[in-house]
Amino acid sequence: MPLATSPLPRLGLAFGLAMSLAAIDARPASAIEPQADDSLPELYTEVAFPNLKFDRPVVLAYPDDENNLLFVVEQHNAQIYSFPNDLQTDDKQLFLDLPQAISKDNEEGLLGLAFHPKYAENGQFYVYYSATNPRRSVVSRFNVSKDDPRKADPNSEQVIWVSADQPYGNHNGGCIEFGPDGYLYISLGDGGAADDPLSTGQNPTDWFGSLLRIDVDNPEGGKAYGIPADNPAKRDPKFAHWAPEVYAIGIRNIWKFTFDRETGDLWAGDVGQNKWEEVIKVENAGNYGWNVYEGFHPFKIRGNRVERSSPILPPIVEYPHPDVPAAQRRGRDDTGKSITGGYVYRGSRIPELQGVYVYGDFETFRIWGVTVDEQDEVVATGELIDVDSPRQAKINIAAFGEDRDGELYILGFDGRIHHLVPRR
């Protein structure tokens, strides 16, 4: 999670820093310095399910079936619980106790859960966890019990994908989601520590610092998955040196990405290093700047250069850390330290929030919203809650989630599931 701060050979890097600067500097100032907008609703949070409590909840997900259940992942207990989507429920049942041992550093554990799009037919779901001895990330498939929709079959595990060995316990990414194309997307951070010590951010030949995309329904080449035909390495010779699984690069540590259920757009929160947190919209073969940029700002280490095949794309918005000098923040006080990516709201409970991408910060408890036009230029952006209000709970925001109806939830390290409600 975004609480802190084996590669293949690196190939040619040709685009220079000057080209990257030109691309970023061309971004309109309104996107570089977003301001509060009164078109966004004023909200606060309240506990949504008062009779439920969890330990380090990091995922809320639901399958596309008729049981109307929600599922929560407990990070270090390595357990998944189910409960009815009823605000007054106290019916919390253990769905899966992960049978494998896991690493439990602050950003490790059971980190991801995704239900197969045809779960109602095949009962398949996928998890992402931090394995140990050696430290590495694993995506596995399990099946629900044939006799009970509230129980998984712990003996059904099939390992689908395993990362290279990871020398550090942070920057594990850990988010998995099925896209509207039916493929499984996997976020994997830059390998850990600080300053991208493995030089993975601009290296598309390895998996680190990337968003991956695989086809779990059509395995090939002796692996448990196939490669979609329009992944960069398959679709264009200029990306032939990219690892086949890599979908996008230049990522430091995406802690949560989601798809807009209406447009299919892929939104993500990419955790910064010392100064800037950012929201990005990810596209096929996109390059989001790390380790040459942190947000909109140059990040200079070890003569780093931009990957030659994919010029840098700027973020949608950023926000500063508290210790960024005031002159660089240009008057902005909406600071944070660790972004938690959210969702584009498509529910009905808060009509004024419709179409707004909602995201937050783990360390400073803030929640923002942003909307963009068809060219991804910012239309409105600002804080949605008043963290200084005595009625507003201080929530370490570990994750956002949504239910089948598109209603939005917030998982806090207070163990509660919260939701947003209008200020009255």
Side-chain angles (χ1 to χ4, degrees), residues 139-382:
V139 172
S140 284
R141 177 168 59 219
F142 287 86
N143 287 88
V144 68
S145 167
K146 295 180 180 179
D147 302 320
D148 187 350
R150 305 289 298 273
K151 294 289 185 182
D153 178 359
N155 299 313
S156 64
E157 181 177 13
Q158 180 185 4
V159 174
I160 302 298
W161 169 89
V162 182
S163 77
D165 292 355
Q166 297 172 270
Y168 307 103
N170 61 344
H171 299 186
N172 300 292
C175 188
I176 54 175
E177 296 282 349
F178 280 95
D181 51 18
Y183 299 131
L184 185 67
Y185 292 69
I186 305 167
S187 69
L188 189 64
D190 67 4
D195 294 336
D196 191 9
L198 304 180
S199 296
T200 67
Q202 292 297 308
N203 181 6
T205 69
D206 69 12
W207 291 337
F208 292 121
S210 305
L211 188 71
L212 311 180
R213 182 174 70 157
I214 61 176
D215 182 352
V216 297
D217 293 323
N218 296 287
E220 60 182 349
K223 297 182 178 180
Y225 59 86
I227 304 299
D230 62 339
N231 269 21
K234 273 195 170 183
R235 69 176 173 83
D236 191 322
K238 74 177 180 178
F239 302 119
H241 60 293
W242 287 36
E245 296 84 355
V246 171
Y247 182 78
I249 65 169
I251 290 160
R252 186 170 184 269
N253 189 40
I254 286 180
W255 178 250
K256 304 304 181 184
F257 65 88
T258 56
F259 293 90
D260 182 342
R261 60 168 59 196
E262 184 171 300
T263 67
D265 291 339
L266 198 171
W267 290 78
D270 194 16
V271 180
Q273 178 146 307
N274 296 323
K275 293 184 176 181
W276 302 95
E277 306 293 305
E278 67 178 14
V279 171
I280 59 177
K281 279 182 70 176
V282 182
E283 61 184 53
N284 193 326
N287 179 357
Y288 297 91
W290 182 252
N291 58 24
V292 176
Y293 277 84
E294 182 184 12
F296 288 96
H297 309 271
F299 185 89
K300 299 180 181 179
I301 53 170
R302 300 186 304 275
N304 47 355
R305 293 290 184 270
V306 179
E307 156 59 27
R308 60 183 170 83
S309 61
S310 184
I312 288 174
L313 298 172
I316 299 296
V317 289
E318 63 178 16
Y319 62 88
H321 287 212
D323 54 358
V324 172
Q328 294 182 30
R329 286 193 271 123
R330 302 186 186 184
R332 291 183 60 182
D333 293 321
D334 57 337
T335 58
K337 290 185 177 181
S338 188
I339 191 170
T340 300
Y343 286 80
V344 176
Y345 180 74
R346 297 297 181 186
S348 60
R349 289 183 58 250
I350 310 175
E352 301 83 2
L353 198 60
Q354 184 69 216
V356 177
Y357 178 71
V358 179
Y359 60 103
D361 188 85
F362 180 88
E363 297 283 352
T364 61
F365 327 120
R366 297 178 185 271
I367 298 176
W368 293 270
V370 61
T371 60
V372 296
D373 62 19
E374 293 181 356
Q375 288 72 46
D376 286 340
E377 303 298 342
V378 173
V379 174
T381 182

